[in-house]
Amino acid sequence: MVVLSQPALDHYSLIKTCNKPTSLFTGIPVVDLSDPEAKSLVVKACEFGFFKVVNRGFPMEFINRLETEALRFFNSPQSEKDRAGPPDPFGYGSKRIGPNGDVGWIEYLLLNTNPDVISYKSLSIFQENPQIFRSAVDDYISAVRKMACDILELVTEGLGIEPRNVLSRLLGDEKSDSCFRLNHYPPCPELQALSGRNLIGFGEHTDPQIISILRSNSTSGLQICLRDGTWVSVPPDPTSFFINVGDSLQVMSNGRFKSVKHRVLADHSKSRVSMIFFGGPPLSEKIVALPPLVGEGEESLYNEFTWCEYKKSAYKSRLGDHRLGLFEKSLQPSTDLVKAPHFSKD
């Protein structure tokens, strides 16, 4: 058993821990994008809220090149990385996640996906090898955005909604407020001193955008929360992509699709690298249930809001807060419409 010194223990004191996972969860929906029934499979998977896609036609060289450049950056001296931080919100961050006190065993780069919007912090990131790293990021984002749009068009086709680009156009818009994040969870050999518990790399949360597309290396750590509150571990698959339904898509589907809470645990011996595209709409876009998904005589479950309003609200909250709760309608049936219960005599 490794016994940590007090300074070392203090280093982890602000980061939460949880019980170690017992096994990998095998019930995650898998959608083959080449399947003729992909549109109905995607709709079903969005109802679960988290799923894996295969046969997506994504160039592996884009993945390998970006992961190589990301690791080159994260393995560079801390003084060099710090020149790209602290995040504003774009740039380099370490341990602190957002401005409201959340921390984790993580370092990350958050980038704007609009190539015409380059923050000062981003310039520091690409300073050493601008053509190589910037090119790797741009190529990956271009391909993953197309994948996100393709998936959203399968969703609308599966729901029978016209036009088929009613969702994908929001990500393709030149004012789309999407972002891209590279996460690095360094190995934490001191984990065995934490009484058999795991250190939280990134705390539990849902994604506020429309859709998130995640790809990671072969190190496990990602967990999702099932509807009964059970946390389960996702088997890693570096050759595939995992899709999260975002809060905004939950609202636009009037609650039919679910935004699933997820988190990442640190590993004691292996580093985890993940890359996530967060597909968001333009800031002025109204987030409201799509009319075809609100049945006759039904109401929307959520009050209408713009993406800008929700984004501001989300960034004022803690990671684990129920962010959509502020926008949920309190739907109470009218008293004159409530009928007395009927009891069968059988």
Side-chain angles (χ1 to χ4, degrees):
M1 180 184 219
V2 175
V3 179
L4 300 183
S5 64
Q6 190 59 44
L9 286 171
D10 291 342
H11 190 58
Y12 305 104
S13 61
L14 295 177
I15 301 177
K16 294 180 180 180
T17 62
C18 67
N19 291 326
K20 286 187 176 181
T22 54
S23 60
L24 296 175
F25 182 62
T26 58
I28 294 167
V30 179
V31 176
D32 184 340
L33 295 182
S34 66
D35 191 316
E37 299 299 318
K39 62 184 180 182
S40 58
L41 295 174
V42 165
V43 169
K44 188 74 173 174
C46 285
E47 292 172 349
F48 185 81
F50 178 87
F51 57 100
K52 180 166 75 171
V53 295
V54 298
N55 291 331
R56 73 285 169 202
F58 197 99
M60 278 303 295
E61 62 266 27
F62 289 178
I63 297 173
N64 296 334
R65 190 155 54 102
L66 181 56
E67 184 169 318
T68 297
E69 293 305 315
L71 282 172
R72 193 193 311 276
F73 173 85
F74 288 125
N75 290 331
S76 61
Q78 190 63 46
S79 59
E80 292 183 18
K81 292 185 287 188
D82 287 341
R83 288 205 296 266
D88 60 358
F90 301 111
Y92 171 77
S94 177
K95 307 294 191 299
R96 291 181 175 83
I97 304 169
N100 303 311
D102 291 296
V103 292
W105 189 251
I106 185 177
E107 58 179 343
Y108 64 88
L109 288 172
L110 184 62
L111 304 171
N112 193 309
T113 61
N114 186 339
D116 297 327
V117 180
I118 304 293
S119 70
Y120 171 76
K121 303 292 176 63
S122 297
L123 290 175
S124 300
I125 296 168
F126 302 120
Q127 188 170 312
E128 294 299 319
N129 47 2
Q131 278 118 4
I132 299 175
F133 201 172
R134 181 79 242 186
S135 170
V137 168
D138 288 347
D139 287 346
Y140 185 93
I141 289 175
S142 178
V144 79
R145 188 198 303 272
K146 182 182 182 305
M147 186 199 304
C149 290
D150 290 345
I151 290 171
L152 290 176
E153 290 184 0
L154 285 172
V155 167
T156 52
E157 287 179 14
L159 293 171
I161 295 175
E162 294 288 346
R164 68 193 295 266
N165 71 339
V166 67
L167 294 174
S168 63
R169 66 175 179 81
L170 302 176
L171 273 59
D173 193 295
E174 62 180 11
K175 294 183 179 179
S176 166
D177 186 47
S178 299
C179 59
F180 182 65
R181 187 177 180 115
L182 290 162
N183 289 333
H184 179 231
Y185 302 91
C188 183
E190 295 86 354
L191 272 177
Q192 54 189 306
L194 297 174
S195 303
R197 294 172 65 84
N198 270 90
L199 202 62
I200 298 290
F202 203 112
E204 63 180 75
H205 64 287
T206 59
D207 296 337
Q209 291 86 355
I210 295 174
I211 189 173
S212 306
I213 299 187
L214 161 76
R215 184 269 167 190
S216 68
N217 65 0
S218 58
T219 302
S220 62
L222 177 63
Q223 292 191 318
I224 61 171
C225 186
L226 303 181
R227 296 191 190 174
D228 64 1
T230 302
W231 284 96
V232 294
S233 294
V234 177
D237 184 352
T239 64
S240 300
F241 292 83
F242 292 92
I243 314 300
N244 275 300
V245 167
D247 295 345
S248 296
L249 187 54
Q250 177 170 319
V251 173
M252 297 173 88
S253 70
N254 205 31
R256 179 172 175 177
F257 299 161
K258 303 300 180 184
S259 182
V260 174
K261 274 194 172 183
H262 48 285
R263 67 186 182 188
V264 176
L265 309 184
D267 188 272
H268 74 281
S269 61
K270 296 181 291 184
S271 68
R272 174 181 168 88
V273 177
S274 62
M275 43 194 79
I276 312 103
F277 172 79
F278 299 96
L283 289 171
S284 60
E285 184 69 26
K286 290 181 179 179
I287 307 301
V288 62
L290 298 172
L293 299 182
V294 181
E296 186 176 349
E298 295 182 354
E299 289 189 53
S300 170
L301 300 177
Y302 304 92
N303 293 308
E304 182 180 297
F305 52 86
T306 65
W307 167 239
C308 182
E309 290 169 336
Y310 189 60
K311 182 179 178 181
K312 286 181 179 178
S313 174
Y315 288 156
K316 289 178 181 176
S317 66
R318 298 292 298 268
L319 275 178
D321 289 348
H322 177 44
R323 297 162 173 166
L324 277 178
L326 296 174
F327 300 88
E328 291 173 348
K329 286 183 179 178
S330 179
L331 299 178
Q332 297 294 335
S334 174
T335 54
D336 60 349
L337 294 178
V338 177
K339 296 182 179 180
H342 171 75
F343 297 98
S344 171
K345 294 181 180 179
D346 296 340

